[in-house]
Amino acid sequence: MQILVTGGAGFIGGHLAERFLAEGHDVTVLDVMHPYYDLGIKQRTLEGHRETAADAGTDYEFIEGDIRDSDLVADLVGDADYVFHQAGRAGVRDSVAEPRVYDEVNVDGTLNILDAARATDVERVVMASSSSVYGVPEYLPYDEVHPTTPVSPYGASKLAAERYSCAYSEVYDLPAVALRYFTVYGPRMRPNMAITNFVSRCMNDEPPVVYGDGTQTRDFTYIDDVVEANLLLLETDAADGEAVNIGSTDNIEIRELAAVIRDEIAPDLDFEFDDRHDADAEHTHADVSKAGELLGYEPTHDIREGVRQFVDWYRANRDWYEQLVRAS
């Protein structure tokens, strides 16, 4: 089948496109190549796509373009059987500085995808949402009926985009699903994330820097589990019209995460502490029972196993990846 992956040069979209190609599907990647972080990571991802397509004998096309270009989006969606919409502006902190840009890309861009999809025979649109839609927890773990009161423009833009997706599913009978990702990590992840910074500093015998007192908690989800959740949506319509949590069921304090990484790489290092950002969430923790019931989703990586796998990948790719992390 023909699959369109928007944001397919990025972290999650890149892994999705690679897996779809390996599974024998034809893939078109649309990505604006925005330099939110060094484009060297995206270039490596695209090289991997071409190699995977050649090995699998599948058709692959990369198109540099913007989801805000409604004509381009209409053309690409019109040729697709499935759309995995991963494109968008990421980053809670940057959204505070540029809220209108996040609205234009994450909301208007998603509406372009949805409008194009309802005019065609697309089998399903799967959009990337975020745990940031929840905001301050009234209870944990978050289930999908928890109030959605985002505290950042990023979270607000993701909530608007997913609400449009679910509304289009209801009003226009468009099969659409929103997956609420919880802090995804793994090979080729963004270099400005906590895990990459902890690993990089420990690799260079520098103490990991913890922002705040480190008691904040996160539900870190390994990229392979996220890819598996998306693959399930090629087979089932049970989640159409729904927003669904995709997490690990496990959460960890940031200071404990730093200790896990430190102990894996450089056990003698101490920590450093710095001020945390006001827009950062205090706690995240996913209830994934809905994903289990509707999709058969079962996360398989806890944070310690996932960190070990990421550290192994980091060591194998240190020559090119670390310089990008250190520059971020």
Side-chain angles (χ1 to χ4, degrees), residues 73-299:
V73 166
D75 288 342
L76 296 178
V77 171
D79 292 333
D81 297 311
Y82 286 82
V83 178
F84 287 81
H85 175 38
Q86 310 298 305
R89 283 292 181 93
V92 166
R93 298 178 188 181
D94 283 4
S95 77
V96 175
E98 297 185 293
R100 288 191 177 274
V101 173
Y102 279 70
D103 181 76
E104 291 167 7
V105 176
N106 294 351
V107 183
D108 290 344
T110 298
L111 280 169
N112 284 339
I113 299 289
L114 296 171
D115 282 335
R118 74 183 179 96
T120 68
D121 293 324
V122 166
E123 294 286 340
R124 183 161 297 107
V125 174
V126 181
M127 74 147 289
S129 187
S130 167
S131 60
S132 293
V133 303
Y134 288 114
V136 178
E138 294 189 4
Y139 56 85
L140 290 172
Y142 292 118
D143 55 25
E144 289 83 355
V145 299
H146 185 285
T148 47
T149 53
V151 295
S152 68
Y154 171 74
S157 72
K158 281 298 188 180
L159 180 60
E162 74 165 46
R163 290 297 88 203
Y164 273 120
S165 297
C166 294
Y168 270 54
S169 188
E170 178 70 25
V171 174
Y172 303 115
D173 200 28
L174 170 65
V177 181
L179 298 182
R180 292 174 176 168
Y181 300 144
F182 281 69
T183 316
V184 187
Y185 71 102
R188 303 195 308 271
M189 68 188 292
R190 287 194 345 242
N192 58 351
M193 302 292 283
I195 290 177
T196 44
N197 283 316
F198 291 162
V199 171
S200 176
R201 291 183 67 85
C202 290
M203 286 278 190
N204 290 278
D205 293 318
E206 298 172 359
V209 178
V210 176
Y211 293 95
D213 63 5
T215 59
Q216 314 94 290
T217 61
R218 292 289 181 275
D219 189 329
F220 288 96
T221 314
Y222 195 65
I223 184 62
D224 289 359
D225 288 331
V226 170
V227 170
E228 290 300 327
N230 279 271
L231 283 171
L232 292 167
L233 288 164
L234 293 173
E235 307 296 335
T236 180
D237 62 1
D240 287 350
E242 300 287 342
V244 182
N245 289 341
I246 301 297
S248 70
T249 76
D250 184 23
N251 74 341
I252 188 171
E253 286 190 349
I254 296 299
R255 63 187 180 186
E256 183 179 353
L257 171 67
V260 167
I261 292 171
R262 186 267 315 272
D263 293 347
E264 182 76 17
I265 300 170
D268 294 332
L269 290 175
D270 293 323
F271 296 156
E272 290 183 2
F273 291 87
D274 203 346
D275 294 337
R276 66 183 288 258
H277 196 280
D278 289 342
D280 291 343
E282 187 73 21
H283 303 287
T284 68
H285 189 192
D287 180 335
V288 297
S289 57
K290 182 176 179 180
E293 293 166 5
L294 296 180
L295 305 178
Y297 171 70
E298 295 182 10

Side-chain angles (χ1 to χ4, degrees), residues 9-12 15 37-45 184-201 203-204 222-223 261 265 307 309-328:
F11 171 43
I12 298 175
H15 280 273
Y37 51 86
D38 194 294
L39 291 178
I41 298 178
K42 289 192 172 187
Q43 295 293 352
R44 289 271 180 162
T45 296
V184 187
Y185 71 102
R188 303 195 308 271
M189 68 188 292
R190 287 194 345 242
N192 58 351
M193 302 292 283
I195 290 177
T196 44
N197 283 316
F198 291 162
V199 171
S200 176
R201 291 183 67 85
M203 286 278 190
N204 290 278
Y222 195 65
I223 184 62
I261 292 171
I265 300 170
V307 162
Q309 291 189 26
F310 178 69
V311 169
D312 289 344
W313 178 87
Y314 191 107
R315 286 192 172 111
N317 293 273
R318 186 175 180 181
D319 288 346
W320 69 269
Y321 184 68
E322 184 170 83
Q323 61 183 316
L324 306 181
V325 176
R326 307 288 287 180
S328 65

